[in-house]
Amino acid sequence: MQVEGGKVRAWSACLFLLSSTLTFSITEVGGSHQSIPPSVVKLWASAFGGEMKSISAKYSGSQLLQKKYKEFDRAVRVEEIDGLRLVKRLAQNMEEMFHKKAQAMKRLVVAAEEAHLQHEEDPDLQYEYFNAVLINEVDEEGNHVELGGEFILQPNDHFNNLSVNLSLSVVQVPTNMYNKDSAIVNGVYWSEALNKVFVDNFERDPSLIWQYFGSAKGFFRQYPGIKWKPDEHGVIAFDCRNRKWYIQAATSPKNVVILVDVSGSMKGLRLTIARQTVSSILDTLGDDDFFNIIAYNEELHYVEPCLNGTLVQADVANKDHFREHLDKLFAQGIGMLDIALSEAFNLLSEFNETGRGSECSQAIMLVTDGAVDTYDAIFAKYNWPERKVRIFPYLIGRESAFADNLKWMACANKGYFTQISTLADVQENVMEYLHVLSRPKVIDREHDTVWTEAYIDSTYGAGKKRRKPNYSSVDLSEVEWEDKDDTLRNSMVNRKKGTFSMEVKRSIDKGRRVLVLHNDYYYTDIQGTPFSLGVALSRGHGKFFFTGNVTVEEGLHDLEHPDVALADEWTYCDTDEHPEHRYLTQIDAIKLYLGGHEPQLQCDKELIQEVLFDAVVTAPLEAYWTSLVLNKSENSDKGVEIAYLGTRTGLSRINLFVVPDKLTSQDFLTAEDKEGVFNADHFPLWYKRAAEQVPGTFVYSLPFNTGSENKSVVLASTAIQLLDERKSPIAAAVGIQMKLDFFQRKFWTASRQCAALDGKCSISCDDENINCYLIDNNGFVLVAEDYTLTGNFFGEAEGAVMSKLLQMGSFKRVTLYDYQALCWVYSESSDSGHTLLDPYFAFLSAVKWLLTELVIFLVEFNLYSWWQSDLTAKAQRMGRTMQVPCDTEYPAFVSERTIKENTGNVDCDGCIKSFVIQQIPSSNLFMVVVDNKCDCSMFEPITMDPVEIMYIESLKCERLKMQKDRRRPDTCHPFHPEENSMECGGAHTLTSSFSATLLCLLLALFPR
């Protein structure tokens, strides 16, 4: 006992000494310059804090709700969440979901194979089909245009309210293809058999969204039917064969070396076509592929010198990086193809030995205007007899003197030869190599189920907002970037099961605020798929849940109150499973389920039981709020406008203290306010912030509304804990919306108080020589004498004071990263890279070439080059700003909870600027009173603007070379002994056999 007491006394002594030291230090800093009495500021803060807590607690009903939850504590069971058990259960559910999608796809495969087998090719076949672009189009006389018959479309909320036809599919044909070509018409005709399977799939699994059929011929069948609209140039830049899902399903992973001839004979139009050919080849490569590009004349020139002697993953960022370098190619000298071929073979061989590539197919793409030899000695040395590397020559230009040599190379090495004379020829000819690489898979009759990562396609006009090109394919290391060693990422990529823990920084409120959490991660694989699933649980309240118990009758009675709403995007009952349930609200579905009248209705029994419990516990708030509304003496100035609550089950209640038309902010708690409502992927912002604060405190903030930056209201919210214990789960959060001017009046009134007996205050916020601010725990200004500062970051107004607060530890800076950012740059070029990216723009530019057709020999002597450079020079003089992908870092700021008050001085060229900061009790707010007598303009403002991370060249190179752990596809089909290697281009063409058609069959289904 004496020992324990000694410990207490020892700690007391230490604390006393620490406190004394801190007081002495502050006094020293302040010295004689401290003109702002901290005691007065503390008085103001206490007065304001007390009144605001009283108002917030009263109108939100927080104390009543806390009391009601405690009254039910005997009917509640609190449990710690078993993370491994949770993630395993979720993975099993997802496995079942993925299996249903795979079964739907297999039904389409069987139907497509059978339909093609029964079809006989008819070169003269005439067939009117529904063209996705032409449907419902009429001519000047009001008649439907050809391939554009009447097609009934109706808005459907399951398809994002787009107008669709649930009975039929439509067919899209690339802009550069004739939509009545015989091969296309035949393919469209026999694939009509898929319509009934599309419909059947959707009826079996109403959670399906789009179902696709991509043909090797280039046409694309989509269900449900929808009208496609060209862009402003009249072009639809979509070819299904270029899409990631098509390429991954049609071919096996591959290592590719692209050789580009840059000898003198490639000048002018030929080099332009060559660039476009290389760019189109890059379009056909996916994340499972690896590549490099080597330009050659009498010497070798790696397009990216940093990547000499290696291959890189064909992700979007790397492909775009290489495209930027294509414009730097220029033609001169003599082409030494033997040196280039030797380098390509050696490169593939050495890279294979590293074990870092695809370890499947290999290919050399040769883009040239001729070859003087067949180079059989080189092939005999490096590639025969196994012929593991396929050769795909692309002859550029109209001359065919060297065609035989190039075709021989293709045929002798299991490749394919094509000739590309114009820019319009590029895409179709590049696609031919995909057919060849697909042969082994087709001969084996393999139907590998291929899953892509989640991404938004532009197929039906979604995602018009400009985004970073590869935003949808975000590496886990760019999300959980605190995991510097990629421990979590690599475990999940390799489909392991386990746990991991780390401190993380989560940006919220559109990046303006940050939450520092300690997360525990639980992960496992999803059987039958290439995916892994991970769940993150925040330590503290995030690791616990509770279950309550009320009768169904009680719950339903309180759930049906008009002020009750359930999270719109949460699934309490699966109303998509059967068509007759699709128009039910979630509350209506719950009533049917609990009444036992709909045995086919699938619902989450546990979630429904919990939402009934919350409905009963929160029901008294309705009467409480109503009594406040009816009491005319309350809220007479209508400063408080809304009271609201949300529970952990997605139940919410809202009460208006003013009529809707009189609301200062109309958007809050509406569907337009994405941050303020329960969504499928997050709780409301006010709920999350309240949950992370000290229990019993209110969180005050200005809503940062998109666009309008609405600063006319203040929100106050607090969390309701189930128990008094530290590890208690959060049961709910409640809050109010009040007018900003009402809130500010309370502040200014409090700041005029003083403790002097004679009523003469020594200092006031009305004094000209001081500035008073009210800021939140992230440094944003809620109240300032200069009204224009409201909502701004405090460091922008008082850079010197904010710097001192950071130095003293009252606030700390947290650096966040955005690896999916877009940065504005000023471009002085004509953006020729854009032309390379879009083959249809390249096709349109071919018109210039057609005008020079009569003087074709002049074109070969660089007339085209002169013409193009002249136009480019004009575009360069114009210039424009554009957004480009970039990485950025940006700061966020958060107060130190343990420091409640502080004083300081800033030396501004001999003039001492003093300030006092004092926490507002029971809140996340601080009062800052600043002496403004000094000119401190020499201190730069502190902003929250993102800054682009500028990588030095050596670091850029390392980032390009860096290859993170990845899991290869489970199957590989590089060759097949029954392949006909004589189908290698030129006069020979791939036959339209049953197998050749099936090899390019791809069906993609996207779950909701």
Side-chain angles (χ1 to χ4, degrees):
M1 193 71 178
Q2 289 299 318
V3 174
E4 289 297 323
K7 281 188 177 180
V8 171
R9 285 194 292 273
W11 274 109
S12 298
C14 288
L15 286 170
F16 173 75
L17 289 171
L18 177 62
S19 176
S20 301
T21 304
L22 180 62
T23 305
F24 175 75
S25 172
I26 291 173
T27 303
E28 283 294 297
V29 172
S32 60
H33 300 291
Q34 187 62 52
S35 59
I36 305 170
S39 60
V40 174
V41 178
K42 189 170 186 177
L43 174 66
W44 295 345
S46 179
F48 177 68
E51 181 161 16
M52 290 317 304
K53 182 174 183 181
S54 175
I55 292 171
S56 300
K58 177 178 181 178
Y59 286 95
S60 67
S62 60
Q63 293 173 344
L64 172 63
L65 187 58
Q66 185 73 70
K67 178 183 175 183
K68 288 300 177 183
Y69 270 105
K70 286 186 177 180
E71 288 177 0
F72 281 85
D73 59 354
R74 293 188 178 181
V76 169
R77 186 177 76 256
V78 178
E79 297 181 31
E80 185 170 356
I81 298 173
D82 185 334
L84 285 175
R85 184 179 174 186
L86 172 64
V87 76
K88 183 178 180 180
R89 177 168 60 85
L90 293 174
Q92 290 173 343
N93 292 341
M94 296 190 74
E95 180 185 343
E96 293 175 6
M97 182 271 291
F98 281 121
H99 179 72
K100 289 176 68 176
K101 312 308 173 192
Q103 290 301 112
M105 186 184 67
K106 288 175 181 177
R107 287 191 289 271
L108 284 167
V109 171
V110 171
E113 290 179 343
E114 183 178 343
H116 182 269
L117 191 64
Q118 295 177 357
H119 177 73
E120 293 185 8
E121 287 290 310
D122 180 1
D124 300 319
L125 178 64
Q126 299 293 315
Y127 180 65
E128 285 284 320
Y129 60 89
F130 289 113
N131 184 288
V133 180
L134 301 176
I135 55 173
N136 297 331
E137 294 289 326
V138 294
D139 56 24
E140 294 178 355
E141 298 178 358
N143 299 318
H144 285 286
V145 300
E146 194 174 23
L147 303 182
E150 182 181 359
F151 195 78
I152 298 173
L153 296 169
Q154 293 181 325
N156 190 300
D157 58 354
H158 184 73
F159 296 92
N160 299 317
N161 283 320
L162 295 170
S163 295
V164 298
N165 185 312
L166 295 178
S167 301
L168 296 168
S169 60
V170 291
V171 174
Q172 180 265 344
V173 179
T175 302
N176 64 331
M177 299 181 68
Y178 179 42
N179 55 28
K180 298 201 75 175
D181 178 85
S182 174
I184 288 177
V185 172
N186 275 271
V188 169
Y189 179 77
W190 66 256
S191 65
E192 285 284 336
L194 298 180
N195 272 325
K196 60 182 179 182
V197 187
F198 286 144
V199 174
D200 179 59
N201 278 343
F202 186 53
E203 289 177 350
R204 292 181 186 221
D205 182 6
S207 67
L208 286 174
I209 302 185
W210 306 101
Q211 301 180 59
Y212 299 156
F213 172 83
S215 165
K217 304 300 182 184
F219 73 85
F220 174 73
R221 185 176 287 280
Q222 180 185 20
Y223 173 88
I226 187 171
K227 183 169 178 61
W228 289 42
K229 295 181 180 179
D231 62 18
E232 63 271 21
H233 303 285
V235 170
I236 293 181
F238 179 87
D239 188 321
C240 65
R241 298 167 298 178
N242 268 344
R243 311 313 287 181
K244 191 178 295 186
W245 50 263
Y246 183 100
I247 295 166
Q248 286 181 232
T251 65
S252 293
K254 49 197 171 292
N255 292 343
V256 176
V257 176
I258 303 173
L259 300 178
V260 188
D261 185 351
V262 290
S263 62
S265 61
M266 288 288 290
K267 285 184 178 180
L269 177 61
R270 290 181 180 179
L271 187 58
T272 301
I273 296 175
R275 290 191 187 107
Q276 180 60 44
T277 301
V278 174
S279 183
S280 292
I281 292 172
L282 293 180
D283 282 337
T284 66
L285 303 181
D287 289 352
D288 292 327
D289 304 322
F290 290 78
F291 77 102
N292 205 334
I293 305 174
I294 304 173
Y296 71 91
N297 40 36
E298 61 266 27
E299 296 179 351
L300 298 178
H301 312 275
Y302 277 82
V303 169
E304 172 48 84
C306 155
L307 297 172
N308 189 320
T310 188
L311 302 183
V312 295
Q313 187 179 8
D315 58 30
V316 175
N318 286 340
K319 291 190 291 185
D320 285 350
H321 179 81
F322 273 82
R323 281 193 178 96
E324 292 172 4
H325 287 264
L326 291 179
D327 275 351
K328 301 175 184 177
L329 298 179
F330 60 93
Q332 65 177 15
I334 302 170
M336 303 295 286
L337 181 54
D338 53 341
I339 299 175
L341 285 170
S342 298
E343 177 72 8
F345 278 114
N346 283 323
L347 175 56
L348 288 170
S349 176
E350 293 169 5
F351 188 72
N352 282 338
E353 292 176 4
T354 68
R356 292 185 290 133
S358 68
E359 295 192 350
C360 193
S361 300
Q362 301 179 78
I364 295 174
M365 309 295 195
L366 175 58
V367 183
T368 180
D369 64 348
V372 296
D373 192 6
T374 57
Y375 302 100
D376 50 328
I378 291 177
F379 297 125
K381 177 181 178 180
Y382 292 105
N383 205 36
W384 296 346
E386 292 90 352
R387 293 173 171 79
K388 290 184 178 180
V389 180
R390 297 180 189 265
I391 307 296
F392 294 96
Y394 296 93
L395 177 59
I396 305 300
R398 294 177 176 275
E399 294 183 11
S400 55
F402 301 108
D404 289 342
N405 288 344
L406 291 171
K407 182 184 174 186
W408 182 91
M409 292 183 198
C411 297
N413 294 278
K414 295 186 177 180
Y416 198 86
F417 163 77
T418 59
Q419 184 167 1
I420 302 176
S421 303
T422 70
L423 286 165
D425 296 338
V426 171
Q427 183 150 316
E428 278 303 304
N429 283 288
V430 166
M431 291 292 176
E432 294 294 345
Y433 94 89
L434 292 175
H435 303 170
V436 176
L437 292 184
S438 301
R439 286 174 183 164
K441 183 180 287 191
V442 175
I443 296 172
D444 282 334
R445 297 185 64 82
E446 291 288 344
H447 297 126
D448 298 332
T449 300
V450 177
W451 301 95
T452 70
E453 75 278 13
Y455 69 101
I456 297 178
D457 208 335
S458 58
T459 308
Y460 47 89
K464 292 183 179 178
K465 180 180 178 182
R466 183 177 175 84
R467 301 173 185 265
K468 190 169 182 178
N470 59 330
Y471 80 98
S472 54
S473 180
V474 182
D475 195 280
L476 184 62
S477 62
E478 296 186 0
V479 179
E480 303 289 349
W481 48 265
E482 294 90 347
D483 180 17
K484 302 298 183 184
D485 297 325
D486 285 345
T487 304
L488 175 64
R489 177 200 179 277
N490 293 344
S491 296
M492 293 189 68
V493 164
N494 292 309
R495 309 186 72 216
K496 294 181 180 179
K497 301 176 183 179
T499 64
F500 179 70
S501 299
M502 67 177 173
E503 185 180 86
V504 298
K505 302 173 183 67
R506 286 286 171 264
S507 65
I508 56 174
D509 210 358
K510 304 179 177 69
R512 293 177 174 90
R513 307 183 189 277
V514 63
L515 293 178
V516 181
L517 309 170
H518 199 111
N519 283 351
D520 291 325
Y521 297 85
Y522 305 88
Y523 49 87
T524 187
D525 64 322
I526 301 175
Q527 294 292 317
T529 78
F531 301 121
S532 289
L533 176 67
V535 172
L537 298 177
S538 297
R539 289 187 181 176
H541 63 80
K543 294 293 293 290
F544 297 88
F545 75 101
F546 67 92
T547 55
N549 188 25
V550 295
T551 66
V552 170
E553 291 75 15
E554 283 182 291
L556 280 178
H557 176 269
D558 291 327
L559 190 64
E560 293 183 89
H561 283 200
D563 70 325
V564 171
L566 296 183
D568 185 51
E569 296 180 6
W570 288 25
T571 303
Y572 302 85
C573 292
D574 187 357
T575 55
D576 282 334
E577 188 70 26
H578 298 283
E580 62 270 21
H581 298 150
R582 288 177 189 162
Y583 300 101
L584 292 175
T585 66
Q586 286 295 314
I587 291 180
D588 288 339
I590 290 173
K591 289 164 58 180
L592 283 175
Y593 171 73
L594 294 175
H597 304 303
E598 290 288 337
Q600 290 185 316
L601 189 60
Q602 301 295 314
C603 297
D604 187 329
K605 183 178 180 180
E606 291 182 3
L607 180 58
I608 290 176
Q609 181 60 41
E610 294 314 301
V611 84
L612 293 180
F613 176 78
D614 285 349
V616 171
V617 177
T618 61
L621 273 183
E622 181 185 22
Y624 174 80
W625 285 333
T626 301
S627 69
L628 291 178
V629 174
L630 296 176
N631 190 337
K632 299 298 183 181
S633 63
E634 300 285 357
N635 200 29
S636 58
D637 57 0
K638 305 300 182 185
V640 179
E641 300 184 324
I642 303 176
Y644 51 87
L645 77 83
T647 74
R648 89 283 190 209
T649 60
L651 179 144
S652 60
R653 293 179 184 268
I654 300 173
N655 182 81
L656 300 184
F657 294 113
V658 297
V659 296
D661 292 345
K662 299 295 183 180
L663 285 173
T664 307
S665 175
Q666 301 283 341
D667 293 337
F668 183 55
L669 300 176
T670 65
E672 287 72 27
D673 179 25
K674 297 295 184 184
E675 294 275 2
V677 296
F678 288 92
N679 278 340
D681 59 347
H682 66 72
F683 275 59
L685 178 62
W686 49 267
Y687 189 109
K688 287 188 291 188
R689 294 193 65 207
E692 298 304 325
Q693 287 294 318
V694 176
T697 62
F698 276 85
V699 178
Y700 299 87
S701 63
L702 294 170
F704 295 107
N705 290 350
T706 303
S708 64
E709 290 292 331
N710 191 335
K711 301 167 185 173
S712 58
V713 296
V714 175
L715 306 181
S717 60
T718 188
I720 306 298
Q721 285 193 308
L722 184 68
L723 308 170
D724 292 331
E725 301 171 15
R726 178 176 170 272
K727 293 184 177 181
S728 170
I730 301 297
V734 295
I736 60 172
Q737 172 183 295
M738 66 189 99
K739 294 178 181 177
L740 177 59
D741 59 358
F742 168 80
F743 180 79
Q744 291 177 335
R745 284 199 308 273
K746 298 295 183 183
F747 175 82
W748 295 122
T749 300
S751 68
R752 295 186 181 99
Q753 296 189 22
C754 63
L757 296 176
D758 59 3
K760 295 181 180 180
C761 303
S762 61
I763 188 173
S764 166
C765 283
D766 294 330
D767 294 350
E768 292 184 358
N769 59 348
I770 67 169
N771 291 331
C772 295
Y773 300 90
L774 184 69
I775 65 175
D776 66 16
N777 60 314
N778 297 118
F780 291 102
V781 177
L782 282 81
V783 182
E785 293 169 65
D786 181 355
Y787 190 82
T788 62
L789 295 177
T790 307
N792 291 355
F793 179 60
F794 179 67
E796 296 176 7
E798 296 281 358
V801 176
M802 191 67 206
S803 295
K804 194 68 175 180
L805 289 173
L806 290 168
Q807 181 183 329
M808 295 190 304
S810 292
F811 277 80
K812 58 184 177 182
R813 181 197 303 262
V814 178
T815 301
L816 302 171
Y817 299 92
D818 185 356
Y819 295 109
Q820 296 294 305
L822 289 168
C823 295
W824 286 100
V825 298
Y826 181 76
S827 172
E828 295 186 352
S829 72
S830 59
D831 193 19
S832 56
H834 173 74
T835 307
L836 291 174
L837 284 168
D838 193 335
Y840 298 108
F841 284 102
F843 172 74
L844 295 175
S845 71
V847 173
K848 293 190 299 183
W849 173 80
L850 290 173
L851 295 177
T852 63
E853 186 71 17
L854 295 177
V855 285
I856 191 67
F857 68 96
L858 290 177
V859 173
E860 297 295 343
F861 285 99
N862 217 17
L863 173 61
Y864 183 88
S865 178
W866 163 79
W867 190 357
Q868 185 187 44
S869 63
D870 179 62
L871 292 175
T872 303
K874 292 178 182 177
Q876 286 175 338
R877 289 193 292 270
M878 293 171 60
R880 64 191 181 94
T881 57
M882 59 184 294
Q883 284 184 306
V884 297
C886 64
D887 296 341
T888 61
E889 67 176 30
Y890 59 97
F893 299 86
V894 62
S895 63
E896 174 53 58
R897 285 183 177 178
T898 59
I899 300 179
K900 308 294 184 184
E901 57 191 33
N902 221 333
T903 63
N905 298 308
V906 182
D907 187 346
C908 302
D909 280 350
C911 181
I912 304 301
K913 184 186 190 79
S914 62
F915 65 88
V916 175
I917 181 170
Q918 175 69 53
Q919 184 175 28
I920 306 296
S922 302
S923 78
N924 66 319
L925 303 177
F926 293 86
M927 177 180 283
V928 187
V929 182
V930 181
D931 174 3
N932 67 5
K933 293 193 295 286
C934 299
D935 178 10
C936 293
S937 58
M938 71 286 299
F939 287 89
E940 292 289 330
I942 296 177
T943 71
M944 299 182 66
D945 297 334
V947 177
E948 182 178 0
I949 301 173
M950 306 302 291
Y951 298 104
I952 60 175
E953 286 303 316
S954 60
L955 187 56
K956 279 184 180 179
C957 184
E958 289 304 313
R959 283 172 62 83
L960 285 170
K961 287 182 178 179
M962 182 179 64
Q963 291 185 12
K964 293 182 177 289
D965 276 11
R966 53 184 291 277
R967 182 181 173 88
R968 297 181 182 86
D970 294 329
T971 59
C972 172
H973 307 275
F975 296 103
H976 196 284
E978 296 178 19
E979 279 187 67
N980 181 3
S981 60
M982 290 299 101
E983 290 183 349
C984 49
H988 299 280
T989 58
L990 282 174
T991 62
S992 182
S993 66
F994 171 61
S995 296
T997 303
L998 287 185
L999 69 88
C1000 293
L1001 175 67
L1002 177 78
L1003 305 126
L1005 299 91
F1006 290 76
R1008 191 170 190 173

